[in-house]
Amino acid sequence: MNQTMSAANAIGLVGAPVITLDKVNKWYGAMHVLRDVSMTVGARERVVVCGPSGSGKSTMIRCINRLEVHQEGKIVVDGTELTDDLRALDTIRREVGMVFQSFNLFPHLTILENCTLAPIWVRKMPKAEAEELAMSYLRRVKIPEQALKYPGQLSGGQQQRVAIARALCMKPKIMLFDEPTSALDPEMIKEVLDTMIELAEDGMTMVCVTHEMGFARQVAHRVVFMDRGEIVESGTPESMFENPQTERLKLFLSQILRGH
Amino acid sequence: MSETVVTASSIPAGGNKAPPAGMVGPWAWLKANLFNSWLSTATTLLLGYLILRAAVGFIDWAFIHAIWTVPYSAKGVPDTSSCQNAKEVGACWAVIGDKYRLILFGRYPYEEQWRPALCVVLFIGLYIVSAMRRFWRKELALIWIVTLSAIFILMGGGLFGLKEVQNDYWGGLPITLILATFGIACAFPLSILVALGRRSTKLPAVKLLCVLYVELIRGVPLISVLFMASVMFPLFMPAGVNIDKLLRAQIAVILFAAAYLAEVVRGGLQSLPKGQYEAADALGLSYWHKTGLIILPQALKLVIPPLVNTFIGFFKDTSLVLIIGLFDLLTMGKVALSDPPWQSFSTEVYIALAIIYIGFCFAMSNYSRGLERELGRGERR
């Protein structure tokens, strides 16, 4: 893992660490769902997290903006440690955007209102400015013409692109993606992945839970493979996919590839 | 649940075939719904006969053989003998003509009764303005405060040259409207706070308090809450402190309604997908922004039908205040009937009261249906 990072560092792609997980443990009741998870993500680094369902990858990514609370270990995001301190949490959530598997757009608000809500209320931006910003991001995800519709009138792919634009409107330093394409029909997956690739090319720091291995190969600096709550293996996409070290990853890859 | 949209391009080359004849139109509807087998035909005919007979009987009683006025003696006592003679065949609407001001305005001084009448008009105006969505802005709260203050000044007097009228003399429709309007207007916001408190995970003490409050109030009948408010509450107060009866009943109604409404609101909060809460959190919205902008607008919309159901229930439950000696609309109907000449004409009085209650309740339920439709537009999931 460190090798990969230094390799990426050497070519000037990845900056100083912005997310650090240090021996993070989490339990749901008696179930141990995260076991000593340690990981560092540098600025502008793009990490893809994969693994079978129930491996704790979603839980891990949700711990980064404290949608889930870890019980042991230390998580530092953008220089602030995640604790019960609400002010620190607000600071972090302002800098970390998240895209969910089920989009989670606000159905009672228009697309534009979905995008301007947080800038107006959290960043205290004037409405006109927030709308201009929102339109610029909606243009970027190629759906400015839908701005005045409601989420229910859009296709799944369009909704997910709005969700990405909504997160970007907060100008986050880090973007988290929790299986962004898993709820989509095949023909819509591409439009969302294209949006994400474009975002990656702009140098956004990204942590992405996904099974899209093509995406991982194309944009990830590093792939992290999780199973049963622990990080089993990590490395560059090439080394991971072509030269898996562990039996568990080999098994996982064979299952994934058979599915495609 | 998405609707299939048939566009011109999605029609196959063969074109659309018209549905077979006999599938559309009122005759087809009748045939399909009322006469589709000999059993349903027999039921339709039998029920049709019964409904028709009842309707003819009612129209005959209420209109054709009804007596609209009765003569008065020199002392002003009504002579109801013509009504007594027609007792079984015709309604005696003269009782309404004679007593409507007592029923509507209670024992309020007769020559001052334009004041409660104006209050009723103000209340209805307030409802209509509040019902229109284009008035849903911050100014609406101001309109409420101004109107309700005006209503109290009108009723109580003592200001602007109006004669002072103690609220012991208030009665009839204004009492019902005051109890219901204040009850719902105060109970609803309170119920939202209680529902939020009950779902709080970070404040266990608040949660416990809310659970206790809801379970305690729901566990006792409204009548006993009213009794507590009117009989027991003054015992706990220091000597000399006297909160008037109407206010005590009002507080009891608010507390009781809020407990029920809180459970309705909580149902709405619970039925929202978890993702809505998470998305709001992930955007960094504060608790109150999240609640006010994302959660409540959706949760309250989901519970409009049970909410209105509870509102309607409480509108009618205000009639229970008679047991602590307040004279609401229904009680005034009873008082009117205690006048000897009119004692045997309760049916007519109760029908008139029912029409008033139905008027308000039907307006509420009709409005809620329209609101549901309007708010649901464009955001079907």
Side-chain angles (χ1 to χ4, degrees), chain A residues 62 65 67 86 90 93 96 98 100 104-109 117-118 121-122 124 150 152-153 166-167 170, chain B residues 202 274-286 289 293-295 297-298 301 377-381:
Chain A
R62 286 157 60 88
N65 66 352
L67 288 180
L86 284 176
D90 282 346
R93 282 182 174 164
V96 180
M98 184 151 196
F100 299 86
N104 294 347
L105 294 178
F106 305 128
H108 63 302
L109 301 177
L117 186 92
W121 293 97
V122 181
K124 311 287 176 212
Y150 286 92
Q153 297 167 300
R166 178 176 72 175
M170 283 295 283
Chain B
K202 296 215 172 87
K274 205 167 138 234
Q276 293 291 309
Y277 291 84
E278 288 177 350
D281 281 338
L283 285 171
L285 289 171
S286 70
H289 282 154
L293 299 167
I294 307 299
I295 305 305
Q298 297 186 63
K301 198 189 84 197
R377 194 175 294 157
E379 41 174 307
R380 283 185 214 99
R381 273 179 290 187

Side-chain angles (χ1 to χ4, degrees), chain B residues 40-62:
Chain B
S40 87
T41 304
T43 315
T44 302
L45 291 177
L46 181 69
L47 284 178
Y49 170 73
L50 290 176
I51 291 168
L52 205 65
R53 246 192 81 156
V56 166
F58 180 79
I59 289 167
D60 195 44
W61 175 82

Side-chain angles (χ1 to χ4, degrees), chain B residues 65-82:
Chain B
H65 288 104
I67 290 162
W68 302 89
T69 51
V70 289
Y72 286 80
S73 73
K75 283 182 188 166
V77 178
D79 173 16
T80 58
S81 55
S82 60

Side-chain angles (χ1 to χ4, degrees), chain B residues 75-98:
Chain B
K75 283 182 188 166
V77 178
D79 173 16
T80 58
S81 55
S82 60
C83 277
Q84 298 289 0
N85 294 336
K87 186 97 182 60
E88 299 300 315
V89 288
C92 180
W93 297 119
V95 61
I96 307 298
D98 192 44

Side-chain angles (χ1 to χ4, degrees), chain A residues 6 70-71 108 129 140 146 215 219 230 244 260:
Chain A
S6 51
H70 62 286
Q71 281 108 17
H108 63 302
E129 196 184 322
R140 212 167 124 186
Q146 313 284 358
F215 172 76
V219 308
E230 55 194 357
H260 279 259

Side-chain angles (χ1 to χ4, degrees), chain A residues 1-19:
Chain A
M1 180 171 99
N2 285 329
Q3 254 176 353
T4 323
M5 271 207 62
S6 51
N9 265 328
I11 50 172
L13 278 174
V14 176
V18 285
I19 304 173

Side-chain angles (χ1 to χ4, degrees), chain B residues 183-217:
Chain B
I184 289 168
C186 298
F188 188 40
L190 178 63
S191 74
I192 291 174
L193 292 178
V194 172
L196 292 172
R198 200 172 171 170
R199 277 178 61 80
S200 166
T201 46
K202 296 215 172 87
L203 305 167
V206 171
K207 180 176 178 172
L208 183 68
L209 209 66
C210 293
V211 172
L212 276 178
Y213 164 68
V214 169
E215 297 305 332
L216 200 70
I217 298 280

